[in-house]
Amino acid sequence: MIDLTVDIGRLRLKNPVLTASGTCGYGREYAHILDLNQLGGIMVKGTSLVPWAGNPAPRVVETPAGMLNAIGLQNPGLDYFLHTELPWLRQFDTAVVVNIAAHQIEEYAELARRLDNAAGVAALEVNISCPNVRQGGLSFGSDPLTAHRVTAAVRQATSLPVIVKLTPNVTDIAALARAVAEAGADAVSLINTLLGMVIDVRARRPALGNIVGGLSGPAIRPVAVRMVWEVAGAVSIPVIGMGGITCAEDALQFLMAGASAVAIGTATFANPRAPFEVMKGMAAFLQEEGFTAVSDIIGLARRGIA
Amino acid sequence: MIDLTVDIGRLRLKNPVLTASGTCGYGREYAHILDLNQLGGIMVKGTSLVPWAGNPAPRVVETPAGMLNAIGLQNPGLDYFLHTELPWLRQFDTAVVVNIAAHQIEEYAELARRLDNAAGVAALEVNISCPNVRQGGLSFGSDPLTAHRVTAAVRQATSLPVIVKLTPNVTDIAALARAVAEAGADAVSLINTLLGMVIDVRARRPALGNIVGGLSGPAIRPVAVRMVWEVAGAVSIPVIGMGGITCAEDALQFLMAGASAVAIGTATFANPRAPFEVMKGMAAFLQEEGFTAVSDIIGLARRGIA
Amino acid sequence: MTWQQCQAVISRRSELPHGHILLGLKAPPVAARARPGQFLHVRCGGDGWPLLRRPFSLAGILPAEGEVELLVRRVGKGTAWLASQPVGQVLDVLGPLGNGFPRPWQKQKQGDLLGVAGGVGVAPLVPALLEAARTGWDVGLLLGAQDAPGLLLVERLRASGIDVSTCTEDGSYGRQGLVTELLAERLPGASLVFACGPPGMLRVVREMTTAVECYFSLEERMACGVGACLGCACQSGDGYHLVCRDGPVFSAREVQL
Amino acid sequence: MTWQQCQAVISRRSELPHGHILLGLKAPPVAARARPGQFLHVRCGGDGWPLLRRPFSLAGILPAEGEVELLVRRVGKGTAWLASQPVGQVLDVLGPLGNGFPRPWQKQKQGDLLGVAGGVGVAPLVPALLEAARTGWDVGLLLGAQDAPGLLLVERLRASGIDVSTCTEDGSYGRQGLVTELLAERLPGASLVFACGPPGMLRVVREMTTAVECYFSLEERMACGVGACLGCACQSGDGYHLVCRDGPVFSAREVQL
Ligand SMILES: Cc1cc2nc3c(=O)[nH]c(=O)nc-3n(C[C@H](O)[C@H](O)[C@H](O)COP(=O)(O)OP(=O)(O)OC[C@H]3O[C@@H](n4cnc5c(N)ncnc54)[C@H](O)[C@@H]3O)c2cc1C
Ligand SMILES: Cc1cc2nc3c(=O)[nH]c(=O)nc-3n(C[C@H](O)[C@H](O)[C@H](O)COP(=O)(O)OP(=O)(O)OC[C@H]3O[C@@H](n4cnc5c(N)ncnc54)[C@H](O)[C@@H]3O)c2cc1C
Ligand SMILES: Cc1cc2nc3c(=O)[nH]c(=O)nc-3n(C[C@H](O)[C@H](O)[C@H](O)COP(=O)(O)O)c2cc1C
Ligand SMILES: Cc1cc2nc3c(=O)[nH]c(=O)nc-3n(C[C@H](O)[C@H](O)[C@H](O)COP(=O)(O)O)c2cc1C
Ligand code: FES
Ligand code: FES
């Protein structure tokens, strides 16, 4: 038996495979086909204080080995989550990580406060890729100072483990990671989507209703692995890696780069059992290669390098 | 007949399709199969003052819809270029754009000075993604101030059109574009490669000898189109777009986003005639859709938006 | 009750005009529970390429045979791949997905159902029209296409007692003109209208059917197909609906086109 | 003189043990000018996937038939695709590429050529050994593999008068052990050695052949295959060589492994 448990700060996961925020809803859609009890955790859809309507259609478009989405963080709001989704999620023996989204620092703090005592919440994931209304729509995550402030505000408002989710659309993601680590984050998760766009040349306009969207899927995996590598070398808090993982081998790249856990996003759309298969394949790899615990391979590719 | 000519500042191209730097060498390898006379221009391999040896193997690895390269700007140096490659290139009726690479600002200026009077050079493309040795290896292109300085130094040293090639690994590429435009660039080209890495999980180490490499190919196209869109909205100098173009439709996305010309890179490896086919396909599209000049579609998708 | 991920084997295939293809799929779990108007989300291609599944309406539901049918129009790489697969090929499908059409014929003995379709838009209507006709409803279909070969499945529907009127834009078969011109004439007799086709056509249908119950089968770009990604939004009076979960069938009045 | 981009039609295919496959390709422009040791850069898959071409040594050169042969080992998606293509399939290939082996037999009447190969590494040696044997040279091949089925093309080479000695790591055929052990015995008679196989094997061969001319056919990850991208570097005493343009054949002494 391989020991698959990993620790994300104070949070122990039964295995290092989670579902990525926004790609598995609140778990319901796939629950009959993907046993959530088998997963390390589920990172739920980004949730805001009040319901958000989201962006106009089209919201998704396929790209080579990837997709763009511009959902616009449509979600039913915190109250709905607390009263309808969270009670349902409690039936599962898996870590429920609540991804929180906001347009102002005080909203992040308020979300954290209200989730603090909610039974069944294992940790918060703070999506700092959201546009900051006070800074003209610039993402909170694109500036270390702002990222620090958001993290500190959330940190103060909750005793739950705080995972800060970093955006890849920055010059120096390691600096961002250091800033949020200093502000008290228990872990970082990365990467969120890369900003991209597609133009429909027959229609002569952007293919997405929102013009730009977030690129995810296998196409971005090399960027994600590189950023996990950089961040794992820059901070001592645990890293949750994601971006284009489709199979165990992909996930192992992130672990060997220094991630303590991984999340599966876009791949689930094509293969609803992908998170489960990644977990199984990871165990099989470890067995084959003679490891006894998944923790033995975290950062393995860094040996003798960084 | 469709009018395919485009103007990149003072530089008139017979059509908007060039080969991207580093993917077509100095033109020799493909010249017998890809008629360089048919192209708007050739952007030659990044060239430095003295020969550069490049990085250890492996230097390339395939990724989903893309590839990583870590060539390390291996090149035979300026003298060799001037004495051996440039005279050969002069036989072609196409714009020869010399991509210059350096580790210090003075080297960029020196390259520009020495190329200023070289017959057959149509323009310079300044690769500011190179690591700046004085700033601990940070790329010249990751900071607007440094980018401004490099551009100004090159601008002073030459009367040739100066195209500054921007790196996508930044938070705000529009700010970079503004900085180099202010410093006197005649045009910008983008995008250079996205930093990425792959880990060989069986070998338990990075797949590239250099650990990280540059991601190119269709995978990055949505990022490239988005950045061209942003930059074309931020500066009034012309933009040359590139990143993952494989066919006319891909190229048209860049033109409609606001680019005045495009360059074909990675696609040439799979299809050596790709630049030619893009040019032909572009003309066919324009004909079909009732345009008379390629300049009519530059920025077309921005109408009513930005 | 809910959808399955299952393996569907291509049991037959026939080439139809203009690059359309009709596929028979052996997929008993899907065939057993599918309702007219639902769709399948099909993995097209192998080894992760193309990345996303492609949605196709059920153009035939044959529970006794354990089969369903898809009518596929080749428009890009996914459909080109699907259309070129041989009999015996195993497909990875999710389904049945979506809500399906209302089926008043299950309660009401009599009624007049009128289908309105453009081109391949006939696909989701077929099982609904056939089912209504079997229960004794009067069923008509107004089908429009570019030209005569584009009028798909007409013989099959006529053979099942459905009154099909056709029109073509080039006048090569049936009346020359748009299907909505036919609708102006035929609408008075109808108690229920189902329509599928390009947005422009649906807009006209909506304007014409203010006095009669009317449902549309809509299309939108999809990622998950199951309501998890919120990618397939369509605007309604109060916020967004999801085409994959709340649709693809919507009351003509509840959605904006 | 230089390479072409051309269409090569699969004229025959045979499955060999352990998932290897031998493909005959009708490609007259390639067959007419190819030299032993050169390779083809093959587009594997359709519609841009996988992105890059895959290099394969010419395992047979038949100018009279206008054909060349590839010996393909399935290791990933590109080779899996290639190995599954039917006879008649058209492939997009660039070639012939690379330098090829030196051919002293064109000038010297007599000589002793010894090939040393591990597994699929036999591929580039085949045409060289056959050509040398045809001109009257004494030609031997030392072939190593994991087990008996892994000893590819042995019968074909023996039929052409080549003295093949084999060894297997599991002892299931020929001697048990590594091919370099055979080399220790057979080296004294040889005037020229050609080798292809894993780097570990080549390193040992190099150490053993200090007194005799020895050439390696190397592999490196390639993008362009034609010298344009500088991607396939291999270290030599003075900087980097390109495997696709300066190689794939190198003097054992000029490259670092
Ligand atoms: C609920 C639903 C039911 C459908 N039923 C059928 C059906 O029964 N028969 C049928 O032939 N098609 C049907 N479609 C459309 C079908 O899904 C698309 O044609 C298919 O996904 C295109 O895939 P591709 O890879 O061939 O095209 P791509 O290469 O992805 O794109 C080619 C062209 O098709 C357009 N396109 C891509 N995806 C969609 C989409 N989801 N909807 C509309 N246009 C799209 C693109 O804009 C592009 O112009 C249905 C779509 C939906 C949402
Ligand atoms: C000059 C040259 C001649 C060759 N001749 C032959 C031949 O005659 N027969 C044959 O079967 N193979 C030959 N190869 C190797 C062949 O090119 C690779 O096996 C093939 O490219 C793998 O493609 P894939 O898509 O199946 O594997 P991928 O899915 O790309 O990778 C699968 C595995 O193969 C490894 N691999 C990928 N590319 C290469 C490469 N270029 N070299 C070595 N390992 C690689 C990867 O690291 C990975 O472990 C040759 C390679 C070179 C450079
Ligand atoms: C449709 C979609 C919706 C997403 N919604 C969210 C979200 O609400 N909050 C968030 O932090 N990330 C969101 N993401 C980003 C993913 O969680 C993940 O970081 C990213 O997609 C990269 O992983 P992948 O390539 O495996 O999908 C979303 C991604 C997709 C594709
Ligand atoms: C093998 C390789 C070598 C490259 N060398 C250079 C270079 O020397 N100078 C430069 O400015 N860009 C270089 N590039 C970047 C390309 O010019 C181009 O900006 C990038 O690859 C994106 O375009 P593509 O996706 O079409 O390849 C190189 C790219 C590749 C793949
Ligand atoms: S396609 Fe994902 S919610 Fe409809
Ligand atoms: S593969 Fe491009 S130079 Fe050798």
Side-chain angles (χ1 to χ4, degrees), chain D:
Chain D
M1 258 323 297
T2 186
W3 56 271
Q4 303 281 304
Q5 176 171 18
C6 70
Q7 306 223 309
V9 185
I10 299 180
S11 51
R12 57 203 151 79
R13 59 191 298 285
S14 43
E15 301 272 349
L16 303 184
H18 292 323
H20 292 81
I21 195 147
L22 187 68
L23 291 179
L25 302 183
K26 198 91 187 171
V30 174
R33 19 163 128 203
R35 297 187 305 273
Q38 289 189 301
F39 69 95
L40 283 191
H41 212 26
V42 183
R43 193 89 188 249
C44 295
D47 203 11
W49 182 95
L51 182 65
L52 300 174
R53 290 169 182 268
R54 302 292 192 253
F56 298 95
S57 300
L58 294 171
I61 303 173
L62 308 147
E65 289 87 346
E67 289 195 351
V68 294
E69 292 175 312
L70 303 182
L71 178 63
V72 178
R73 179 165 164 239
R74 285 186 181 87
V75 297
K77 48 197 172 312
T79 48
W81 181 88
L82 186 58
S84 69
Q85 295 311 297
V87 168
Q89 173 71 35
V90 179
L91 302 176
D92 169 3
V93 307
L94 307 184
L97 292 167
N99 58 355
F101 285 105
R103 298 147 102 186
W105 51 83
Q106 292 186 323
K107 294 194 195 124
Q108 288 163 239
K109 281 253 160 65
Q110 282 186 321
D112 276 278
L113 172 62
L114 190 58
V116 186
V120 73
V122 71
L125 303 187
V126 174
L129 301 181
L130 291 177
E131 192 180 277
R134 269 200 306 276
T135 63
W137 274 39
D138 280 334
V139 179
L141 171 66
L142 313 181
L143 185 58
Q146 193 68 38
D147 56 15
L151 295 163
L152 304 166
L153 305 185
V154 169
E155 294 320 314
R156 165 197 285 230
L157 289 163
R158 285 200 174 130
S160 303
I162 290 162
D163 176 15
V164 184
S165 306
T166 63
C167 61
T168 51
E169 285 176 43
D170 71 354
S172 56
Y173 190 83
R175 178 186 316 209
Q176 173 162 21
L178 297 174
V179 72
T180 43
E181 295 164 22
L182 287 177
L183 180 61
E185 292 168 25
R186 293 286 307 275
L187 192 60
S191 60
L192 182 62
V193 174
F194 290 171
C196 184
M201 176 195 117
L202 296 183
R203 271 191 287 266
V204 179
V205 172
R206 178 165 57 191
E207 273 168 37
M208 296 175 68
T209 56
T210 44
V212 53
E213 247 192 302
C214 177
Y215 292 87
F216 293 159
S217 175
L218 297 188
E219 294 192 4
E220 191 46 73
R221 301 285 183 103
M222 291 185 178
C224 71
V226 304
C229 75
L230 313 185
C232 59
C234 79
Q235 183 98 48
S236 75
D238 57 334
Y240 293 102
H241 287 316
L242 297 179
V243 171
C244 73
R245 193 189 60 197
D246 307 326
V249 177
F250 294 95
S251 151
R253 254 142 295 283
E254 74 185 304
V255 287
Q256 287 166 28
L257 296 170

Side-chain angles (χ1 to χ4, degrees), chain B residues 20-22 45-46 69 73 99 127 165 191-192 216-217 242-244 265-266:
Chain B
S21 178
K45 176 73 199 162
N69 87 77
L73 284 164
N99 182 283
N127 179 359
K165 183 160 181 180
I191 59 174
N192 212 317
S216 64
M242 65 195 78
T266 303

Side-chain angles (χ1 to χ4, degrees), chain C residues 54-57 71-73 75-79 123 219-221:
Chain C
R54 302 293 193 254
F56 298 95
S57 299
L71 177 64
V72 178
R73 178 164 166 242
V75 297
K77 47 195 173 315
T79 48
E219 294 194 3
E220 191 45 73
R221 302 286 183 100

